[in-house]
Amino acid sequence: MNNFSKIQMGVDYYPEHWDPSLWEQDAIQMKEVGVKIVRVGEFAWSRFEPEEGQFNFEWLDRAIHLFHRQGIQIVIGTPTHTPPRWLTEKCPDILPIQANGHTYHAGVRGHRCFNSVSLHSYGSRIIEKLTLHYKDHPAIIGWQTDNEFSLVYCHCESCNEQFRVWLQAKYGTLEQLNQEWGTVVWSGEYNDWSQVTTPFGGSPHQNPSYQLDFYRFQSACVEQYQQTQIEIIRRNCPEHFITHNFHSYPQKLDLYPLGEQLDVAAFDYYPNTSPDKTSTGPYSGALSLDVTRGIKRRNFWIMEQLSGPPGGWGPMWRTPYPGFIRAYIWQTIARGADTVVQFRWRSATMGAEQFWHGLIDHSNVPGRRFEEFSQVCTEVNTLSRLLEGSIVRNDVAILHSHDQLVALDIQPQVEGLDYYENIKQWHRALTKLGIGTDVINWTENLSGYKLIIAPSLYLMDSTVATSLEAFAAAGGTLIITHRSGVKNLNNVCLMEPFPGMLSHCAGVQVSEYDPIANSLHHIITADEQTYSSTQWCDILHPTTAEVVASYHDDFYAGKAAITVNSFGKGKVYYLGTHPEENYMKSLLHQLAVAHDIPHFPDLPEGVQISVRMRDSQAFFFLLNLSRESRSIVLDHPYKSVLYDGLTHEGTLTLEPYGVDICTIELY
Ligand code: GAL
Ligand code: ZN
């Protein structure tokens, strides 16, 4: 069934938004520019089922027929993100209830509670009908579940009931729940299951164990809900792949269990067009793509990609600078996207998203952005064969954990310490060094990596601790940081010195800490370099570790701030404080050299390099994600597969938002 690994371009199209007389010319124009994929249907429930039990797929049949005639393949989104009016009127249990008791009304989208019995029955029925109708259509290749899942924070009866069921399955008895959550504090003990409810309000400082479980429960509801859709699609369309379009990280929704149910993960990518964001935007974008690749640890799709100035949900952003659309499409492919689908073919003339621009403006006159898109389509189609089957393979991984993200959000530790922002900084330092990085779930198997960075493992899990120890013992280098080993998985503090289960392999214990927030402190390395640090200072007591850097300020001046311990065949670094990016870069550079990890230390600001491998053939994607032209000095001869196919030597200059794809004779 692996029909999702072609390197190709697509567009999101809403036939229901356009006069049918436009469909055919749109399809012809798509074919002309080289579009291979169209996604349709994800919000069209009111057209698929205009009245209860009256199904109408005739309009989509006609549209799909026109695409098919142009050789374009189709992905259909299940329409459950937008239950129609007749349904929410008939079955108000579909509408989520907010914590204050108010209903979240229809009219936009996302107005559906995942635990609503009516959503399950009507949602399953429309998906059943759709999949049976399209199962044999030669143009259809895959399905997208719903649209951009996120947590709904619903407090309806059914959610309350399901929350209790979920907790009963987890804890068995109420006594156990009381004990694990520590409800004895402030007389919070429950005497009866009926007292356990979703968080209706009151103080925001509710019991942290309870809050964490509520988030986990909500994620589990989305998972269960997606599973009902997947069962229907798999039963009726076993030849089609299934994906979901994830969006806007960090997400409190746990991406990984949802990803497990899918064949391929997808991401909706809207890189920031503002010139003020050029020093951060391209890097957090790179992280989003690496997070998406990590969902299934394989290549992915982009299901929506920026095509024009975004707006409609607020004032408009800047229009994408010349070259921006193209460079960011290549950035996604460079980091493992196979198919890239642009949002959207043409800007909507009606509805709330009129100003979230598509490739073509309201005028329907193709302009500069469309030209650029058509150039990328040609390039992608030319290289598609060559790149197909190539994958991203890295020596370095950052561990990412929804449990940590949520727990650290429930109880912010100190101003300035943000779990995902810290991951961003590590990732940015790596990207600036041209070091390819995977971002994977913290519970993943670590074999094959040389370097693992695991920021703030605040909730400690013995299986993960054992796997990290084993990784280091076998010769890996592990970097762990402050706020590790603080709590158990139920968000209860542990009575042992930090970093708890990782103390042994790190050869260090925290004797005291100082949450310094944004106040600038300094550390001095063994070779007398000074770097600033913020957020946190663990005062370290090395047991077997060596001191790498000491504090310069405060009553702990001279005490260890960063240590390294030899453990088995490997090494474990412990960072008690959050150093400036230059320190991260210097440490990572040193480790890359020591462990023979491919890197490019002199990349200019905004330039990214990433590599896709096919067997032993490496394709280097060189991207200038800035508004100025940039030059890269390459030590080895390179051959441009994007342009002339000739071998060059020396400096490679990239115009603003310039791109090249090269094979480099490295080894
Ligand atoms: C995504 C969504 C699309 C469209 C786009 C632009 O979040 O899936 O339907 O709304 O953003 O706002
Ligand atoms: Zn609900």
Side-chain angles (χ1 to χ4, degrees):
M1 173 241 284
N2 189 353
N3 51 2
F4 50 79
S5 48
K6 290 221 180 87
I7 316 275
Q8 55 189 359
M9 296 299 299
V11 294
D12 296 306
Y13 191 71
Y14 299 91
E16 70 277 22
H17 294 183
W18 306 108
D19 191 292
S21 65
L22 284 172
W23 298 350
E24 182 160 28
Q25 76 193 49
D26 285 341
I28 291 171
Q29 204 174 5
M30 287 177 199
K31 156 88 189 275
E32 274 168 13
V33 292
V35 165
K36 307 287 186 194
I37 295 288
V38 164
R39 180 197 62 177
V40 292
E42 81 277 15
F43 301 123
W45 196 339
S46 71
R47 288 294 168 98
F48 290 142
E49 191 179 2
E51 283 173 60
E52 180 173 0
Q54 306 289 313
F55 298 97
N56 178 5
F57 304 122
E58 191 270 331
W59 63 275
L60 188 59
D61 293 347
R62 270 191 292 137
I64 290 180
H65 171 72
L66 295 171
F67 292 127
H68 185 46
R69 273 229 305 248
Q70 303 304 327
I72 293 170
Q73 296 185 305
I74 306 291
V75 174
I76 303 181
T78 64
T80 44
H81 200 183
T82 46
R85 300 269 186 194
W86 61 259
L87 179 55
T88 52
E89 182 187 40
K90 177 170 185 210
C91 309
D93 70 298
I94 287 190
L95 297 174
I97 303 297
Q98 295 161 309
N100 60 10
H102 295 172
T103 300
Y104 186 86
H105 290 287
V108 182
R109 48 191 194 177
H111 48 279
R112 38 81 173 109
C113 157
F114 292 116
N115 289 312
S116 148
V117 177
S118 309
L119 180 75
H120 278 257
S121 67
Y122 286 89
S124 296
R125 186 170 70 167
I126 186 68
I127 295 170
E128 183 78 33
K129 297 276 178 196
L130 264 172
T131 48
L132 286 175
H133 186 80
Y134 287 113
K135 69 184 167 58
D136 296 319
H137 196 296
I140 316 292
I141 56 166
W143 297 81
Q144 168 191 302
T145 55
D146 202 272
N147 187 70
E148 294 193 339
F149 280 132
S150 45
L151 303 182
V152 168
Y153 304 98
C154 178
H155 298 267
C156 75
E157 279 283 316
S158 172
C159 282
N160 272 276
E161 215 174 282
Q162 290 307 313
F163 185 37
R164 289 188 282 270
V165 169
W166 187 87
L167 291 169
Q168 278 156 5
K170 178 167 179 184
Y171 296 109
T173 64
L174 200 53
E175 290 67 46
Q176 190 68 21
L177 176 145
N178 276 320
Q179 160 113 13
E180 297 284 345
W181 284 2
T183 52
V184 59
V185 174
W186 296 338
S187 285
E189 281 159 308
Y190 297 101
N191 314 81
D192 192 285
W193 280 105
S194 62
Q195 297 156 4
V196 184
T197 67
T198 62
F200 287 133
S203 165
H205 304 284
Q206 301 286 320
N207 180 309
S209 306
Y210 160 66
Q211 292 191 66
L212 180 57
D213 271 344
F214 181 62
Y215 280 105
R216 287 177 174 146
F217 159 71
Q218 291 192 88
S219 251
C221 297
V222 184
E223 250 171 86
Q224 253 178 33
Y225 184 65
Q226 177 172 263
Q227 189 54 36
T228 63
Q229 301 208 350
I230 285 186
E231 274 161 23
I232 302 168
I233 303 169
R234 291 225 189 277
R235 175 167 22 87
N236 294 337
C237 305
E239 298 301 315
H240 297 165
F241 68 82
I242 308 178
T243 187
H244 177 75
N245 55 335
F246 295 101
H247 69 113
S248 332
Y249 308 140
Q251 276 287 337
K252 295 235 171 73
L253 172 74
D254 192 342
L255 309 173
Y256 301 105
L258 285 164
E260 248 171 64
Q261 305 170 340
L262 304 169
D263 298 303
V264 59
F267 182 61
D268 292 350
Y269 190 28
Y270 294 100
N272 200 312
T273 50
S274 164
D276 307 339
K277 292 281 173 180
T278 44
S279 63
T280 52
Y283 298 100
S284 48
L287 173 60
S288 296
L289 301 171
D290 288 351
V291 167
T292 308
R293 195 181 61 255
I295 293 176
K296 291 199 72 71
R297 298 186 74 174
R298 67 159 88 123
N299 289 5
F300 56 95
W301 276 38
I302 295 294
M303 199 54 98
E304 299 179 13
Q305 170 105 357
L306 179 114
S307 301
W313 300 97
M316 286 181 234
W317 303 359
R318 297 289 295 269
T319 194
Y321 198 78
F324 186 103
I325 292 176
R326 171 176 177 256
Y328 275 94
I329 291 172
W330 279 118
Q331 187 201 27
T332 72
I333 298 177
R335 292 186 177 267
D338 284 340
T339 295
V340 181
V341 182
Q342 298 292 125
F343 187 88
R344 49 190 276 168
W345 176 249
R346 187 168 40 238
S347 315
T349 57
M350 52 201 183
E353 272 196 353
Q354 287 154 322
F355 299 112
W356 196 287
H357 293 78
L359 290 164
I360 305 177
D361 287 332
H362 299 121
S363 64
N364 204 20
V365 180
R368 174 185 68 85
R369 302 193 310 278
F370 190 79
E371 267 302 297
E372 194 171 311
F373 168 69
S374 109
Q375 182 194 342
V376 195
C377 288
T378 307
E379 291 171 345
V380 168
N381 290 334
T382 309
L383 293 183
S384 157
R385 274 280 182 78
L386 186 68
L387 295 176
E388 187 173 334
S390 61
I391 56 165
V392 179
R393 207 186 290 146
N394 292 318
D395 292 332
V396 180
I398 296 178
L399 301 192
H400 172 234
S401 154
H402 284 270
D403 277 336
Q404 317 300 347
L405 178 92
V406 172
L408 287 166
D409 189 70
I410 290 170
Q411 285 173 304
Q413 299 291 287
V414 64
E415 224 174 287
L417 191 164
D418 176 302
Y419 176 71
Y420 196 78
E421 284 299 322
N422 285 355
I423 286 185
K424 261 191 201 170
Q425 288 182 31
W426 281 105
H427 190 270
R428 184 159 64 216
L430 288 157
T431 306
K432 287 187 174 173
L433 290 165
I435 299 176
T437 305
D438 291 347
V439 181
I440 56 174
N441 196 10
W442 68 313
T443 52
E444 283 287 334
N445 181 327
L446 307 177
S447 62
Y449 292 112
K450 293 182 176 172
L451 170 63
I452 297 283
I453 303 162
S456 299
L457 296 179
Y458 175 70
L459 307 179
M460 192 48 76
D461 174 60
S462 58
T463 318
V464 173
T466 310
S467 129
L468 288 172
E469 270 199 352
F471 168 77
T477 300
L478 171 65
I479 298 179
I480 57 172
T481 76
H482 56 290
R483 305 322 279 147
S484 290
V486 178
K487 298 201 181 193
N488 71 12
L489 289 175
N490 283 332
N491 219 357
V492 169
C493 288
L494 293 162
M495 293 179 68
E496 61 192 11
F498 312 130
M501 285 181 228
L502 293 174
S503 286
H504 176 57
C505 70
V508 74
Q509 288 187 349
V510 175
S511 29
E512 192 184 344
Y513 54 71
D514 187 6
I516 61 169
N518 295 318
S519 104
L520 217 56
H521 276 44
H522 295 87
I523 52 171
I524 304 175
T525 60
D527 56 352
E528 305 280 311
Q529 301 292 314
T530 303
Y531 296 93
S532 62
S533 79
T534 50
Q535 299 183 7
W536 196 269
C537 294
D538 277 336
I539 303 168
L540 300 181
H541 167 65
T543 49
T544 54
E546 279 166 45
V547 178
V548 173
S550 313
Y551 290 110
H552 174 262
D553 318 81
D554 239 300
F555 68 92
Y556 36 93
K559 292 273 172 43
I562 298 177
T563 57
V564 62
N565 192 41
S566 294
F567 186 74
K569 294 189 195 142
K571 284 195 181 338
V572 181
Y573 283 82
Y574 185 92
L575 274 68
T577 187
H578 186 76
E580 61 173 297
E581 186 178 294
N582 276 337
Y583 178 78
M584 292 181 178
K585 277 178 76 179
S586 115
L587 173 65
L588 294 166
H589 186 199
Q590 201 184 305
L591 293 173
V593 172
H595 299 290
D596 212 10
I597 297 169
H599 60 288
F600 294 84
D602 300 317
L603 288 179
E605 171 99 18
V607 172
Q608 297 184 5
I609 287 199
S610 25
V611 185
R612 284 178 72 131
M613 300 284 301
R614 203 175 66 185
D615 307 322
S616 57
Q617 170 88 75
F619 299 100
F620 290 80
F621 291 73
L622 299 119
L623 309 159
N624 176 9
L625 300 168
S626 84
R627 289 181 174 219
E628 285 93 44
S629 104
R630 300 275 196 237
S631 294
I632 315 169
V633 184
L634 292 169
D635 298 339
H636 304 266
Y638 56 91
K639 189 158 84 179
S640 167
V641 300
L642 181 60
Y643 297 117
D644 53 13
L646 301 176
T647 301
H648 302 265
E649 258 179 276
T651 301
L652 184 146
T653 300
L654 295 167
E655 72 222 29
Y657 291 105
V659 176
D660 207 344
I661 306 169
C662 302
T663 51
I664 303 184
E665 288 157 34
L666 257 189
Y667 310 104

Coordinates of all heavy atoms in Angstrom, one line a residue, residues 266-291:
A266 N 1.4 13.8 9.1 CA 1.5 15.0 8.2 C 1.5 16.2 9.2 O 1.1 16.1 10.3 CB 0.3 15.1 7.3
F267 N 2.0 17.3 8.6 CA 2.1 18.6 9.4 C 1.6 19.7 8.5 O 1.7 19.7 7.3 CB 3.6 18.8 9.8 CG 3.8 20.0 10.6 CD1 3.2 20.2 11.9 CD2 4.6 21.1 10.1 CE1 3.4 21.3 12.6 CE2 4.8 22.2 10.9 CZ 4.2 22.3 12.2
D268 N 1.0 20.7 9.2 CA 0.5 21.9 8.5 C 1.5 23.0 8.9 O 1.7 23.4 10.0 CB -0.9 22.3 9.0 CG -1.9 21.3 8.6 OD1 -1.6 20.5 7.7 OD2 -3.1 21.4 9.0
Y269 N 2.2 23.5 7.9 CA 3.4 24.3 8.1 C 3.2 25.8 7.6 O 3.0 26.0 6.4 CB 4.6 23.7 7.4 CG 6.0 24.3 7.7 CD1 6.2 24.9 8.9 CD2 7.0 24.2 6.8 CE1 7.4 25.4 9.2 CE2 8.3 24.8 7.1 CZ 8.5 25.4 8.3 OH 9.7 25.9 8.6
Y270 N 3.1 26.7 8.6 CA 3.0 28.1 8.3 C 4.1 28.9 8.8 O 4.0 29.5 9.9 CB 1.6 28.6 8.8 CG 0.4 27.9 8.1 CD1 -0.2 26.9 8.7 CD2 0.0 28.4 6.9 CE1 -1.3 26.3 8.1 CE2 -1.0 27.8 6.2 CZ -1.7 26.7 6.8 OH -2.7 26.1 6.2
P271 N 5.3 28.9 8.2 CA 6.4 29.6 8.7 C 6.1 31.1 8.7 O 5.4 31.6 7.9 CB 7.5 29.3 7.7 CG 6.9 28.7 6.5 CD 5.6 28.1 6.9
N272 N 6.7 31.7 9.8 CA 6.4 33.2 10.0 C 7.1 34.0 8.9 O 8.2 33.9 8.6 CB 6.9 33.6 11.4 CG 6.3 34.8 11.8 OD1 6.2 35.8 11.1 ND2 5.8 34.8 13.1
T273 N 6.3 34.9 8.3 CA 6.8 35.6 7.1 C 7.4 37.0 7.6 O 8.0 37.7 6.7 CB 5.6 36.0 6.2 OG1 4.5 36.5 7.0 CG2 5.1 34.8 5.4
S274 N 7.3 37.3 8.8 CA 7.8 38.6 9.3 C 9.3 38.7 9.2 O 10.0 37.8 9.7 CB 7.4 38.8 10.7 OG 8.1 39.9 11.3
P275 N 9.9 39.8 8.7 CA 11.3 40.0 8.7 C 11.9 40.0 10.1 O 13.1 39.7 10.3 CB 11.5 41.3 8.0 CG 10.2 42.0 7.8 CD 9.1 40.9 8.1
D276 N 11.1 40.3 11.1 CA 11.6 40.3 12.5 C 11.9 38.9 13.0 O 12.5 38.7 14.0 CB 10.6 40.9 13.5 CG 10.2 42.3 13.0 OD1 10.9 42.9 12.2 OD2 9.1 42.7 13.4
K277 N 11.4 37.9 12.3 CA 11.5 36.6 12.8 C 12.6 35.8 12.1 O 12.7 34.6 12.3 CB 10.2 35.8 12.6 CG 9.1 36.3 13.4 CD 9.2 35.8 14.9 CE 8.2 36.5 15.6 NZ 7.9 36.5 16.9
T278 N 13.4 36.5 11.3 CA 14.4 35.6 10.5 C 15.4 35.0 11.3 O 16.0 34.0 10.9 CB 15.0 36.5 9.3 OG1 15.4 37.7 9.9 CG2 14.1 36.7 8.2
S279 N 15.7 35.5 12.5 CA 16.8 34.9 13.3 C 16.2 33.7 14.1 O 17.0 32.9 14.6 CB 17.5 35.8 14.2 OG 16.5 36.3 15.2
T280 N 14.9 33.5 14.3 CA 14.4 32.4 15.0 C 13.4 31.5 14.2 O 13.5 30.3 14.3 CB 13.5 32.9 16.2 OG1 12.6 33.9 15.7 CG2 14.4 33.5 17.3
G281 N 12.6 32.2 13.3 CA 11.6 31.4 12.6 C 12.1 30.2 11.8 O 11.6 29.1 12.0
P282 N 13.2 30.3 11.0 CA 13.6 29.2 10.3 C 14.1 28.0 11.2 O 14.0 26.9 10.7 CB 14.8 29.7 9.5 CG 14.7 31.2 9.5 CD 13.9 31.6 10.7
Y283 N 14.5 28.4 12.4 CA 15.0 27.3 13.3 C 13.8 26.6 14.0 O 13.8 25.4 14.1 CB 16.0 27.9 14.3 CG 17.2 28.5 13.6 CD1 17.3 29.9 13.3 CD2 18.2 27.6 13.1 CE1 18.4 30.4 12.6 CE2 19.3 28.1 12.3 CZ 19.4 29.5 12.1 OH 20.4 30.0 11.4
S284 N 12.9 27.4 14.4 CA 11.7 26.7 15.1 C 11.0 25.9 14.0 O 10.4 24.8 14.3 CB 10.9 27.6 15.9 OG 10.5 28.7 15.2
G285 N 11.0 26.4 12.8 CA 10.4 25.6 11.7 C 11.1 24.3 11.5 O 10.4 23.3 11.4
A286 N 12.4 24.4 11.5 CA 13.2 23.1 11.4 C 12.8 22.1 12.5 O 12.7 20.9 12.2 CB 14.7 23.5 11.4
L287 N 12.6 22.7 13.7 CA 12.3 21.8 14.8 C 10.9 21.2 14.6 O 10.7 19.9 14.8 CB 12.3 22.6 16.1 CG 11.8 21.8 17.3 CD1 12.6 20.6 17.6 CD2 11.8 22.7 18.6
S288 N 9.9 22.0 14.1 CA 8.6 21.4 13.9 C 8.7 20.2 12.9 O 8.0 19.2 13.0 CB 7.7 22.4 13.3 OG 7.5 23.5 14.2
L289 N 9.5 20.4 11.9 CA 9.6 19.3 10.8 C 10.3 18.1 11.4 O 9.8 17.0 11.2 CB 10.4 19.9 9.6 CG 9.8 21.1 9.0 CD1 10.7 21.7 7.9 CD2 8.4 20.7 8.3
D290 N 11.3 18.3 12.3 CA 12.0 17.2 12.9 C 11.0 16.5 13.9 O 11.1 15.3 14.0 CB 13.3 17.6 13.6 CG 14.3 18.0 12.6 OD1 14.1 17.7 11.4 OD2 15.4 18.5 13.0
V291 N 10.2 17.3 14.6 CA 9.2 16.7 15.5 C 8.3 15.8 14.7 O 8.0 14.6 15.1 CB 8.4 17.7 16.3 CG1 7.2 17.2 17.0 CG2 9.3 18.4 17.3

